[in-house]
Amino acid sequence: MQGKGFIKFMAILLGIVCLYSLSFNLVTYNVEKDAKAYAKGDVAKEKAYLDSMATVAVYPGLGLTYQQVKGKEINLGLDLKGGMNVTMEISLAELTKSLAGNTSDANFNQALQNAQTQMNAGGKDFITLFVNEYEKLAPNGKLADFFANQDNASQLKANASNGDVKNFLSKEANSAIDRSFTILRSRIDGFGVVSPNMQKQEGSNRIFIEMPGVQDKERVRKLLQGSAELQFWQVYQNEEVVNILENINKTLALTVKDTVAVTAAKPADTAAKGSKLANLTKGAPKDTSATAKKAEASKSNPLFSVLSIPTYTAENGQQALRPGPVVGWTLQKDTAKVKAYFARPEIKSLIPGTMKFMWSLKPMEGSKVFELYAIKVSSLDGRPDLGGDAISNAMQGYDQKNRPEVTMYMNSDGAAKWKKITADASADPNNKKAIAIVLDNTVYSAPTVQNEIPNGVSSISGSFTLEDTKDLANILKAGKLPAPAKIVSDFVVGPSLGQQAIDSGLSSFIIAFVVILAFMALYYNKAGWVANLALLINLFFIMGVLAAFGAVLTLPGIAGIVLTIGLSVDANILIFERVREELAHGKNTAVAIKEGFKHAMSSIIDSNVTLFILGIILFIFGTGPVQGFATTLCVGIVTSLFAAVLISRVIFEGLLSKKANISFDNSVTRNAFKNIAFNFVGHRKLYYVISSVIILAGIGFYIKNDGLNLGVDFKGGRTYMVKFDRKMNTEEVTKKLVANFEGEEALVKTAGTDNSLKITTPYHITDQDPNADKIVENALRKGLTETGAKFEIGSSQKVTPTIASDIITSAVYAVLFSCLVMFIYIVVRFRKWQYGLGAVIALFHDVLLVISLYTILDGVLPFPLEIGQDFIAAILTVMGYTMTETVVVFDRIREKLNESGKTDVYGEERNTLINFALNSTLSRTILTSLTVFFVLMVIFVFGGDSIRGFIFALLIGRIIGTYSSLCISTPIVIDLSKNEKKAVK
């Protein structure tokens, strides 16, 4: 085998990378294990311990802190950890109206309304829709009349065409989405979410936000949907505030009776070595790990036990106050305590009315330490010196030394006020002061003013990265254009449901893995153990690559890994079956293995490429769980090819060099699938009839059931998964809920067990009231309480009709695009359009059959069969199954033609050839189908209720895919070639 050394080198290199990537999980596991042992069940203690370890080096040798290591481990998705995800939609209609000065023009406002209606129905580009609608309503109207104003003079001229205005609006819309993303990310960072995941959904005005571990839904909704307020404030210097803080500390020492709980954590105390809290002001306790001393210190210095005054070591070696606007340093976990101290009545009287405290937006780099600022209130009404509406533009750029900076432009009113503010701040050449840039009552930046700025154009520079300046520019522009953001979909999973998902996911994973290992060992004897070793290596690679990519592991992701395990044996089965054919021809083991790998390679490449293409399409068109499934599927396909083909070949070469006895069968499996000569082509019309009957039955049930059972993904609404303490009658629950939902529909179905219900309702789904979610949940709880049973809401999901229409559009595009790509690939690979069309017809056949069976069986099975995003993922995966099976048969036909020196055959000779190809690959088709079927059955039984419908679609899809590849896709080539046969005659 050529390149054996290179393969070994790559395997070792990949192994080292995977081992390194997975090591972070091991380190965090050990730290969190110590935290649990220390806390002994006390959640607050456990959190305090982990907070104290944030800046402590925990990775031996590399010196990485717990916070850094935690950010590199494989993160668990919401369905495994619990938490919340939301999709925010930026209101481009309100943005456009604001840019036009909130005009009352009837045509303008009607165009906005029409464009929004089209967007809700699945339209894509709001700006294009708006411009088109306006031109319909006012054919001679000029949009520049609305948008060409003083603030936009540099970007838009008064005589600009409607096309120019459209380009301007598109740029402003994209800019508004970027700014909203920055603001929302800043708010999430301030919320303290561990490993949040935020993504701009390209090509739309939506932002997806995932927050593992978050359960306070109302707080999150309020946080994300509140309007951002940008402000500019003058600030006090450190030396102006220190005496006030000392008085507060003394007063608290006299009045605070409660002892402050202090975390006694190994080397990770709040004043850890090298931390920003190491130097406390006079009277503050020294760093010590003794709990008693810390508790005593917190009594005598309540404020300074959690707040440090910034100091530095002067030239004389003494501690001196650090000049500047930062008046204190506090660990994130202690900010609430400091805030509570400041809010006490006896402390409020010590703080001047012209002073208020604000925290920095983010912690100091490499720590969990936040900076405290003392804001100077100079107006009688308590308003800031300058508001965000004064900013006309802000751009990132570079200064004269090529360092990143931000240039800020003020409008005329803002420039006049800015001149006075900057003059005051820079008046003392020996004590230049800072101006705080504040967003949502947190300090984003506090640059020092060097000189008076008379023209309203300012440069903000410092130790910025390019990303910092981009974010700051977006923040500064945030006050210019109001672009309200609203939640159009959300999904909440309780922690108990997440733990159940972990348990069921791991159970299905382990059992499925054992099933595959046992099957391969029993069927293929010693060769099966080679495949099993390659499978173990493949699993290690999959997890390592996912960790290296920073992938988020979800339940569909685990299903994708388990499914990949089933698919990874496909390559080995293809190889082993070809080796057995060569052995049957009397060749020795070494030659048979060489020929087996050689002849199987074309089929392996084709089948894996088709499935990989489907995975990419899933990733592009899917969101959330569908993308998780697609990610693990694509990674698994790549690592499977490497492990099953290359590594297993190296193992066989090693065994052959040692003259080991390698067997590919046993007495039971030796003659399996021998001498089969089934006439698939001859019975094809019977198969057409069977498929037609099922599809017609599906149409009948579709009419009977008034359409498909669409999930909230496709029709909009709210869904709740509720678990009761006893068996529930769905009709009784429905009556109670409908009464509380003001007569609105409530669809109640069992979800796996009699005491688990899935409740779906469109109640208030189009209501724009920000309290609508709370209204619906209160009505739900009231109705459930009236049943007299105890209940727990495990998860909830909301999808507005707007986003539901987009999901439908994406699903249709995904299926159609998949078919087009498959057709092109087959035609290019096999050079006959009949093969490509036959494969595509089979794909549509499979989709119709799965949907028909879903329609027929809905209501019969003890779990809901809804058409949602997961179902689309299942459909596309089923299409992948059919394609992998079909291309293997096509490969055998091509191989046989090449052996005979012909490019094609016709008539009865073609029928014979196709039957030969189907029968000769039957063992591979059946064995691969069985392995995947076993895996899916294990996930179906042990994988939990949340993915049971999804796995059921894959199960019936596996059966249909096998049936389709044998009985539809290849035999149909005969009927597509009838005209060709007549021409030959």
Side-chain angles (χ1 to χ4, degrees):
M1 177 186 178
Q2 293 181 343
K4 187 162 58 176
F6 178 72
I7 293 169
K8 288 180 179 179
F9 170 76
M10 288 300 298
I12 293 170
L13 182 63
L14 183 58
I16 292 171
V17 171
C18 292
L19 193 62
Y20 172 74
S21 300
L22 292 171
S23 66
F24 299 111
N25 284 73
L26 180 61
V27 173
T28 54
Y29 170 78
N30 287 331
V31 175
E32 289 163 7
K33 182 182 175 183
D34 290 342
K36 289 183 184 296
Y38 166 78
K40 296 179 181 177
D42 188 327
V43 177
K45 268 190 171 185
E46 184 178 337
K47 186 177 185 302
Y49 181 99
L50 293 175
D51 281 339
S52 72
M53 295 293 290
T55 57
V56 176
V58 294
Y59 198 118
L62 297 181
L64 298 176
T65 65
Y66 170 70
Q67 187 176 5
Q68 291 170 323
V69 172
K70 186 71 178 174
K72 294 177 180 292
E73 70 170 354
I74 295 181
N75 292 311
L76 299 181
L78 301 189
D79 47 7
L80 295 177
K81 188 176 183 178
M84 182 178 184
N85 72 34
V86 299
T87 300
M88 305 291 298
E89 185 174 80
I90 313 304
S91 177
L92 296 185
E94 294 187 49
L95 171 70
T96 305
K97 190 169 183 178
S98 174
L99 280 167
N102 294 308
T103 177
S104 59
D105 183 85
N107 288 331
F108 185 98
N109 289 312
Q110 186 61 50
L112 281 179
Q113 186 177 335
N114 293 350
Q116 188 61 55
T117 301
Q118 292 178 44
M119 278 289 289
N120 294 344
K124 284 297 177 186
D125 186 347
F126 178 84
I127 300 301
T128 300
L129 293 173
F130 162 70
V131 173
N132 291 343
E133 286 299 312
Y134 180 78
E135 290 179 341
K136 287 179 187 176
L137 294 168
N140 299 318
K142 287 188 61 180
L143 284 170
D145 293 341
F146 301 104
F147 297 103
N149 51 44
Q150 184 178 351
D151 289 341
N152 302 324
S154 61
Q155 303 175 67
L156 200 64
K157 304 299 180 184
N159 61 349
S161 66
N162 285 354
D164 293 334
V165 173
K166 178 183 172 183
N167 292 335
F168 163 74
L169 290 176
S170 295
K171 289 178 182 177
E172 289 297 321
N174 291 332
S175 177
I177 293 168
D178 288 341
R179 298 199 301 272
S180 299
F181 182 85
T182 303
I183 293 167
L184 292 172
R185 187 176 65 188
S186 300
R187 293 180 178 186
I188 293 298
D189 288 342
F191 193 77
V193 179
V194 178
S195 304
N197 172 32
M198 291 187 65
Q199 299 170 2
K200 280 182 283 189
Q201 297 184 347
E202 297 301 329
S204 75
N205 56 328
R206 298 197 183 110
I207 297 169
F208 176 79
I209 306 169
E210 190 172 64
M211 296 161 283
V214 172
Q215 296 298 323
D216 192 343
K217 296 182 291 185
E218 293 308 312
R219 184 182 169 201
V220 168
R221 289 177 180 130
K222 184 178 179 181
L223 176 81
L224 295 180
Q225 294 185 134
S227 58
E229 187 174 5
L230 179 68
Q231 303 170 336
F232 295 86
W233 295 89
Q234 296 182 61
V235 292
Y236 288 97
Q237 297 295 94
N238 191 9
E239 64 270 13
E240 297 177 282
V241 182
V242 64
N243 289 334
I244 295 173
L245 294 178
E246 285 182 346
N247 286 337
I248 291 173
N249 183 59
K250 291 175 183 177
T251 304
L252 286 171
L254 297 173
T255 58
V256 173
K257 304 296 183 185
D258 300 329
T259 23
V260 180
V262 180
T263 303
K266 296 181 183 177
D269 300 314
T270 47
K273 183 179 179 181
S275 93
K276 297 293 184 181
L277 303 181
N279 298 318
L280 299 178
T281 189
K282 182 180 178 181
K286 294 183 179 180
D287 179 39
T288 173
S289 60
T291 305
K293 289 184 179 181
K294 282 193 172 182
E296 186 61 34
S298 67
K299 289 181 183 178
S300 57
N301 291 286
L303 180 63
F304 292 147
S305 68
V306 290
L307 176 74
S308 300
I309 303 299
T311 61
Y312 74 103
T313 304
E315 292 181 1
N316 59 6
Q318 299 297 314
Q319 291 296 302
L321 285 175
R322 185 185 295 272
V326 179
V327 301
W329 287 321
T330 303
L331 284 169
Q332 182 178 5
K333 68 183 182 68
D334 292 324
T335 54
K337 185 174 290 185
V338 174
K339 188 177 179 181
Y341 282 155
F342 289 162
R344 295 171 71 97
E346 68 273 21
I347 303 303
K348 279 186 177 180
S349 62
L350 301 176
I351 302 174
T354 58
M355 180 185 296
K356 61 180 180 179
F357 293 102
M358 289 184 185
W359 297 106
S360 60
L361 181 73
K362 296 179 181 180
M364 299 169 72
E365 188 176 354
S367 72
K368 285 198 172 183
V369 178
F370 281 74
E371 295 168 316
L372 182 67
Y373 294 85
I375 302 299
K376 185 180 291 186
V377 182
S378 55
S379 62
L380 294 175
D381 60 0
R383 297 292 300 164
D385 299 305
L386 200 63
D389 55 352
I391 306 296
S392 62
N393 199 7
M395 296 184 295
Q396 64 180 109
Y398 297 90
D399 63 12
Q400 294 177 347
K401 296 181 179 179
N402 205 34
R403 295 175 303 185
E405 70 169 8
V406 174
T407 303
M408 179 173 65
Y409 300 88
M410 299 276 187
N411 56 31
S412 54
D413 290 339
K417 293 179 181 178
W418 192 238
K419 177 180 179 180
K420 182 180 184 305
I421 295 169
T422 53
D424 292 342
S426 60
D428 185 351
N430 299 317
N431 186 22
K432 294 184 183 294
K433 296 181 180 179
I435 300 291
I437 301 170
V438 175
L439 180 73
D440 291 339
N441 292 316
T442 54
V443 178
Y444 191 91
S445 177
T448 300
V449 180
Q450 299 299 325
N451 298 293
E452 175 191 308
I453 302 172
N455 57 4
V457 180
S458 316
S459 294
I460 304 172
S461 59
S463 55
F464 291 136
T465 65
L466 193 60
E467 186 176 326
D468 290 335
T469 55
K470 181 179 179 181
D471 287 350
L472 183 55
N474 282 333
I475 289 292
L476 291 170
K477 288 193 289 186
K480 179 192 172 189
L481 301 172
K486 58 182 178 181
I487 295 175
V488 291
S489 78
D490 64 50
F491 181 49
V492 183
V493 181
S496 60
L497 196 64
Q499 188 58 50
Q500 291 175 19
I502 292 174
D503 295 340
S504 58
L506 287 175
S507 299
S508 65
F509 182 86
I510 292 168
I511 296 170
F513 198 66
V514 171
V515 167
I516 293 294
L517 294 177
F519 176 82
M520 293 300 289
L522 290 173
Y523 195 91
Y524 288 109
N525 209 339
K526 290 184 178 179
W529 285 109
V530 174
N532 288 341
L533 179 58
L535 188 58
L536 287 167
I537 295 171
N538 179 39
L539 178 61
F540 172 69
F541 285 164
I542 291 173
M543 299 305 295
V545 171
L546 289 176
F549 285 167
V552 177
L553 194 59
T554 62
L555 202 56
I558 289 180
I561 293 174
V562 178
L563 191 58
T564 301
I565 291 172
L567 293 171
S568 66
V569 301
D570 180 43
N572 284 125
I573 289 175
L574 273 169
I575 294 166
F576 293 174
E577 289 301 307
R578 292 309 296 257
V579 171
R580 283 163 55 133
E581 286 182 30
E582 301 300 328
L583 290 171
H585 293 153
K587 296 178 181 178
N588 63 46
T589 304
V591 175
I593 289 174
K594 181 180 178 182
E595 292 295 313
F597 273 89
K598 176 184 174 183
H599 291 303
M601 194 54 60
S602 176
S603 296
I604 291 171
I605 296 298
D606 283 331
S607 60
N608 279 275
V609 166
T610 51
L611 196 56
F612 189 80
I613 290 171
L614 264 296
I616 292 174
I617 293 170
L618 268 176
F619 186 84
I620 292 171
F621 288 97
T623 58
V626 175
Q627 280 192 336
F629 178 80
T631 300
T632 54
L633 186 64
C634 289
V635 170
I637 289 169
V638 174
T639 58
S640 294
L641 275 173
F642 182 70
V645 177
L646 300 178
I647 291 181
S648 62
R649 180 70 187 275
V650 170
I651 296 172
F652 277 123
E653 292 284 343
L655 292 173
L656 288 172
S657 66
K658 294 179 181 179
K659 302 190 182 304
N661 179 33
I662 307 173
S663 53
F664 286 82
D665 55 28
N666 53 48
S667 58
V668 177
T669 62
R670 187 161 297 132
N671 295 314
F673 300 101
K674 295 287 185 182
N675 303 319
I676 295 177
F678 193 82
N679 187 6
F680 289 100
V681 173
H683 294 91
R684 67 186 186 281
K685 292 183 179 178
L686 172 63
Y687 308 140
Y688 299 164
V689 171
I690 293 171
S691 296
S692 299
V693 168
I694 296 173
I695 292 170
L696 289 173
I699 294 172
F701 276 88
Y702 174 87
I703 296 171
K704 175 179 174 291
N705 298 334
D706 295 324
L708 297 171
N709 179 14
L710 298 178
V712 293
D713 287 345
F714 279 3
K715 66 180 181 182
R718 291 178 174 84
T719 291
Y720 302 88
M721 296 294 292
V722 185
K723 191 167 186 177
F724 297 84
D725 62 344
R726 58 181 170 83
K727 178 180 177 180
M728 299 299 295
N729 182 295
T730 56
E731 292 184 6
E732 177 192 347
V733 175
T734 302
K735 288 179 182 177
K736 297 289 185 185
L737 292 177
V738 169
N740 283 279
F741 288 161
E742 302 178 78
E744 195 71 75
E745 177 190 21
L747 187 63
V748 182
K749 292 187 176 184
T750 56
T753 57
D754 291 332
N755 67 329
S756 294
L757 297 181
K758 184 174 186 178
I759 301 168
T760 305
T761 178
Y763 184 49
H764 276 296
I765 193 60
T766 57
D767 193 344
Q768 299 298 315
D769 187 340
N771 296 316
D773 295 324
K774 192 68 177 175
I775 293 170
V776 176
E777 188 169 328
N778 288 340
L780 172 74
R781 290 184 179 277
K782 186 171 182 289
L784 295 178
T785 302
E786 290 173 3
T787 64
K790 293 181 180 178
F791 63 89
E792 178 188 358
I793 300 176
S795 69
S796 65
Q797 182 181 11
K798 180 185 82 172
V799 178
T800 62
T802 306
I803 202 167
S805 65
D806 282 2
I807 292 173
I808 293 176
T809 304
S810 295
V812 172
Y813 283 153
V815 173
L816 294 179
F817 187 61
S818 299
C819 290
L820 176 63
V821 171
M822 292 300 103
F823 175 78
I824 293 171
Y825 182 79
I826 295 296
V827 171
V828 170
R829 286 290 287 147
F830 298 98
R831 300 178 184 177
K832 280 190 71 68
W833 66 266
Q834 288 90 343
Y835 287 175
L837 186 57
V840 169
I841 290 173
L843 294 182
F844 277 110
H845 162 270
D846 293 356
V847 172
L848 289 175
L849 239 58
V850 174
I851 293 175
S852 296
L853 288 172
Y854 248 58
T855 307
I856 295 167
L857 297 174
D858 185 35
V860 177
L861 299 174
F863 50 87
L865 294 178
E866 291 183 344
I867 309 294
Q869 282 196 90
D870 286 354
F871 176 81
I872 298 303
I875 285 289
L876 290 174
T877 309
V878 168
M879 292 165 65
Y881 288 154
T882 301
M883 290 307 301
T884 55
E885 304 287 357
T886 301
V887 296
V888 169
V889 177
F890 287 174
D891 266 309
R892 185 56 68 95
I893 293 172
R894 180 175 56 186
E895 180 187 327
K896 197 68 177 175
L897 287 171
N898 290 338
E899 288 177 1
S900 62
K902 299 178 180 179
T903 56
D904 206 351
V905 290
Y906 306 94
E908 192 57 38
E909 190 177 0
R910 171 176 284 172
N911 295 358
T912 303
L913 174 61
I914 289 177
N915 271 326
F916 163 78
L918 288 166
N919 282 293
S920 61
T921 58
L922 187 61
S923 59
R924 177 261 167 202
T925 302
I926 298 299
L927 291 174
T928 303
S929 298
L930 280 176
T931 53
V932 175
F933 189 83
F934 287 156
V935 170
L936 291 172
M937 277 301 297
V938 169
I939 306 174
F940 181 77
V941 174
F942 299 100
D945 298 333
S946 57
I947 58 169
R948 191 153 283 145
F950 171 65
I951 297 301
F952 179 76
L954 293 180
L955 267 172
I956 61 174
R958 175 73 282 188
I959 298 169
I960 291 169
T962 304
Y963 159 75
S964 179
S965 65
L966 291 171
C967 307
I968 303 295
S969 59
T970 311
I972 207 172
V973 172
I974 300 293
D975 295 306
L976 291 173
S977 306
K978 282 181 179 177
N979 293 334
E980 215 174 14
K981 289 195 296 181
K982 289 178 182 177
V984 171
K985 288 180 181 178

